[in-house]
Amino acid sequence: MKKIVSIKNLWVYFNNIPVLEDINLSIRQNDFLALIGPNGGGKTTLLKVILGLIRPDRGEVEVFGKNPEEGRKLIGYLPQYTHFDPNFPISVLEVVLMGRYRGLIRSYSREDVETALNALDTVGMLEFKDWQIGKLSGGQVQRVLVARAIAREPKLLLLDEPTASIDPEMQKSFYELLLNLKKRMAIVLVTHDIGVISTYVEKIACLNRRLFYHGPREAGLKKLEEVYKCPIELIAHGVPHRVLERHEKK
Amino acid sequence: MDILQYEFIRNALIAAILVSVTCGIIGTYVVIKRIVFIGGGISHAAFGGIGLGYLLGINPIIATIPFSILAALGIGTIGKKSEFGEDTAIGIVWAVGMALGVIFIALSPGYAPDLFSYLFGSILAVTSFDLIIMLILNVIIILTVILFHKEFLAISFDEEFSEVVGVPTKTMYLLLLCLVALSVVVLIRAVGVILVIALLTIPAAISRRFTHNIKNLMLLSIFIAIVLTITGLYLSYIFDLPSGATIVLILGIGFLLSSLFEYSIST
């Protein structure tokens, strides 16, 4: 399948300390990839390199055959934290419309509004379109921010710990939503949630400064312990071992 | 209303309206983007421009325009460097601007009789020339906001996402700070460099209790600013009090009343 992101020999330093070392990674059309690894392992940094927000110190990054600043037009992005003032004067629809931004002066067209409304419909938040964003729950905000990301009609969706701030019941429906979106775009998901990995994603990439593994999840889960350098329950919130055991029994 | 027969009262009323339009629009961004103290830094640094005006013998308000723009660009540029941070940038530019003002005034021939009015405002001394400058700056501010409201809203809400979708975030941020600088120039005549921060924050802070739509927020802020500044102006005239300080106190009382009002409807 077609490569949409190609990273070769990537090095990134912060204050002369390497945070990413010699990363080689390809993302293909229709991939559903979980990027896992300990905190400070460089997962967010890697996403930001793909988005052109952080420049690599060494190595090559191609996004849809172009440099990241150009190629990111086809990327939808959900940041790890979106801090905003709960009183910020903006409606749900106005937030999603930001995903349709196409340049200075150009105001949003009727088509942009249609696409934004469709995106809200996809995430099941259409009825909230006129609500002020601060009135929504954490899970609802995440859905709106996913709508903002997919309103760009991206070919690749980058999600940075999308379920960290939402409760377990909401998480399940959130992942069902991703399975639905996967038909239309490649998805890369940063997560600590082992349960998700074993149920939904197809490939995993384990990152702790270096890329320790990239491939199908079955073989990868066995290598997890090696990456984290500590017992697996640290990353499997609430479901220590169970998931891994289930895999071994298969 | 026989007080309207005086030209200086009419000028003061027009000034109050122009001031209100500025602080309603720019104050909204200052409050929602939480750059109140950047506004404070720019307005204090603008004192350097006033000193420069005295030194060069030109209208201090004119000299303040390039000076406050430079202060805004200084804070914006230094503040975005990770090794410093915004508060450090504000501290540097705030104090250096004021120090320059003091030096310029000391170097000026003679003494500066109406210096106090630039520090604490004297809306009753506004001239027709001042009004023209304030009007022109208002037109520039309104046109810029009409052109770039999408970008200003985006960077105020989520700067990183804005960058990813292609908003020129750094340029837009600096442009917004330049608008804050121009609004400082408009407001100086009314309340002076030291009290400008009240006009940039209080009307918008009151209004945001009542609306979550940015356009309504601006319009309501303008309306509240008009009511409160004219009330302050009137009271300062009646009781013979300094106009700038009276306006700021009325703004403060307005904020207190809106808090009590919100508290009473929520219980």
Side-chain angles (χ1 to χ4, degrees):
Chain A
M1 241 180 289
K2 219 176 91 189
K3 264 190 205 177
I4 54 178
V5 174
S6 157
I7 297 172
K8 286 182 192 140
N9 308 110
L10 170 78
W11 290 72
V12 176
Y13 295 84
F14 287 164
N15 299 322
N16 297 321
I17 299 160
V19 282
L20 290 175
E21 294 179 15
D22 200 25
I23 306 289
N24 289 281
L25 177 73
S26 306
I27 301 167
R28 290 167 196 280
Q29 229 173 352
N30 303 331
D31 264 358
F32 190 2
L33 171 74
L35 197 54
I36 57 179
N39 290 327
K43 305 183 294 294
T44 299
T45 306
L46 184 59
L47 290 195
K48 288 188 177 177
V49 168
I50 295 172
L51 286 162
L53 291 173
I54 293 176
R55 278 181 196 213
D57 293 283
R58 263 188 278 163
E60 275 174 44
V61 181
E62 270 195 2
V63 179
F64 295 100
K66 297 172 185 152
N67 66 32
E69 284 89 347
E70 289 283 312
R72 72 183 174 200
K73 291 197 174 88
L74 292 168
I75 300 180
Y77 173 48
L78 179 70
Q80 184 174 5
Y81 307 106
T82 302
H83 291 295
F84 57 84
D85 183 340
N87 281 316
F88 196 94
I90 193 168
S91 72
V92 165
L93 179 59
E94 284 175 305
V95 171
V96 178
L97 273 174
M98 280 180 197
R100 297 297 300 170
Y101 184 83
R102 285 291 185 275
L104 295 173
I105 318 291
R106 249 207 61 174
S107 56
Y108 298 118
S109 66
R110 193 174 300 166
E111 191 202 328
D112 290 327
V113 176
E114 284 295 312
T115 313
L117 290 173
N118 280 339
L120 275 173
D121 198 22
T122 305
V123 301
M125 289 295 292
L126 187 56
E127 58 183 304
F128 296 96
K129 68 182 171 68
D130 297 320
W131 283 44
Q132 189 242 336
I133 187 81
K135 299 263 188 291
L136 302 180
S137 73
Q140 289 173 320
V141 169
Q142 285 302 74
R143 283 177 172 267
V144 170
L145 297 180
V146 170
R148 178 179 72 167
I150 63 175
R152 284 190 89 62
E153 302 179 307
K155 298 280 168 244
L156 169 63
L157 187 59
L158 302 181
L159 308 167
D160 199 347
E161 295 197 31
T163 56
S165 63
I166 62 185
D167 53 66
E169 298 95 89
M170 287 289 284
Q171 288 186 5
K172 187 166 180 295
S173 69
F174 188 84
Y175 290 118
E176 300 293 335
L177 165 66
L178 295 189
L179 282 184
N180 198 12
L181 292 175
K182 184 180 87 103
K183 295 167 198 155
R184 287 189 266 158
M185 59 196 79
I187 298 179
V188 175
L189 174 74
V190 169
T191 184
H192 285 290
D193 186 348
I194 281 286
V196 172
I197 296 161
S198 61
T199 328
Y200 299 97
V201 303
E202 289 147 7
K203 288 183 184 172
I204 58 175
C206 309
L207 191 68
N208 188 8
R209 274 206 338 256
R210 289 175 169 273
L211 191 65
F212 281 80
Y213 173 80
H214 178 216
R217 66 159 189 249
E218 283 75 19
L221 283 172
K222 295 198 181 84
K223 289 202 74 173
L224 268 182
E225 212 149 333
E226 188 187 315
V227 179
Y228 279 88
K229 311 273 187 232
C230 55
I232 199 79
E233 64 261 14
L234 270 184
I235 51 166
H237 302 304
V239 283
H241 294 294
R242 203 182 332 131
V243 174
L244 201 59
E245 280 164 13
R246 204 189 296 150
H247 264 278
E248 283 161 354
K249 278 177 203 154
K250 260 187 191 170
Chain B
M1 293 289 269
D2 55 338
I3 64 167
L4 285 177
Q5 64 185 300
Y6 303 112
E7 193 194 352
F8 72 94
I9 293 283
R10 288 199 299 271
N11 279 357
L13 283 174
I14 298 169
I17 292 169
L18 291 173
V19 157
S20 299
V21 170
T22 302
C23 70
I25 296 171
I26 299 305
T28 293
Y29 287 119
V30 166
V31 167
I32 67 172
K33 192 159 171 51
R34 304 205 159 199
I35 50 171
V36 172
F37 278 86
I38 292 186
I42 295 171
S43 69
H44 282 77
F47 185 67
I50 290 163
L52 189 65
Y54 279 112
L55 182 62
L56 301 178
I58 55 175
N59 185 314
I61 292 293
I62 298 281
T64 304
I65 296 173
F67 216 90
S68 59
I69 297 245
L70 275 180
L73 295 176
I75 291 178
T77 315
I78 302 170
K80 283 289 167 188
K81 301 223 183 293
S82 55
E83 68 262 41
F84 297 118
E86 238 156 39
D87 51 346
T88 304
I90 293 166
I92 294 168
V93 173
W94 178 312
V96 168
M98 288 214 92
L100 279 173
V102 172
I103 298 291
F104 288 151
I105 287 167
L107 293 176
S108 306
Y111 73 113
D114 47 356
L115 184 61
F116 202 72
S117 81
Y118 289 104
L119 285 172
F120 296 102
S122 69
I123 198 167
L124 291 168
V126 170
T127 63
S128 306
F129 181 74
D130 291 331
L131 288 180
I132 290 168
I133 295 175
M134 289 162 82
L135 180 67
I136 292 171
L137 293 180
N138 253 319
V139 170
I140 293 173
I141 288 170
I142 292 169
L143 288 180
T144 314
V145 167
I146 289 174
L147 276 179
F148 299 111
H149 66 97
K150 211 160 73 272
E151 285 78 12
F152 291 152
L153 183 67
I155 63 166
S156 302
F157 182 70
D158 184 348
E159 203 160 315
E160 187 180 59
F161 187 85
S162 307
E163 173 85 31
V164 171
V165 293
V167 178
T169 52
K170 287 190 191 78
T171 313
M172 285 298 131
Y173 177 66
L174 291 178
L175 182 62
L176 184 60
L177 293 191
C178 288
L179 291 189
V180 174
L182 293 185
S183 67
V184 162
V185 177
V186 176
L187 303 182
I188 281 175
R189 284 311 257 149
V191 291
V193 294
I194 295 174
L195 303 179
V196 156
I197 204 168
L199 275 170
L200 281 180
T201 50
I202 297 176
I206 295 173
S207 309
R208 71 181 309 189
R209 297 180 191 278
F210 303 106
T211 175
H212 288 304
N213 173 290
I214 189 161
K215 209 161 92 191
N216 295 341
L217 183 50
M218 289 178 179
L219 294 174
L220 186 60
S221 301
I222 292 172
F223 175 75
I224 287 174
I226 289 176
V227 171
L228 295 179
T229 49
I230 291 180
T231 305
L233 183 59
Y234 181 71
L235 292 178
S236 75
Y237 177 81
I238 297 290
F239 296 107
D240 195 21
L241 293 168
S243 57
T246 311
I247 288 171
V248 170
L249 286 182
I250 294 301
L251 288 165
I253 291 170
F255 183 77
L256 193 66
L257 289 179
S258 77
S259 307
L260 292 175
F261 177 75
E262 197 183 38
Y263 179 74
S264 67
I265 55 169
S266 71
T267 51

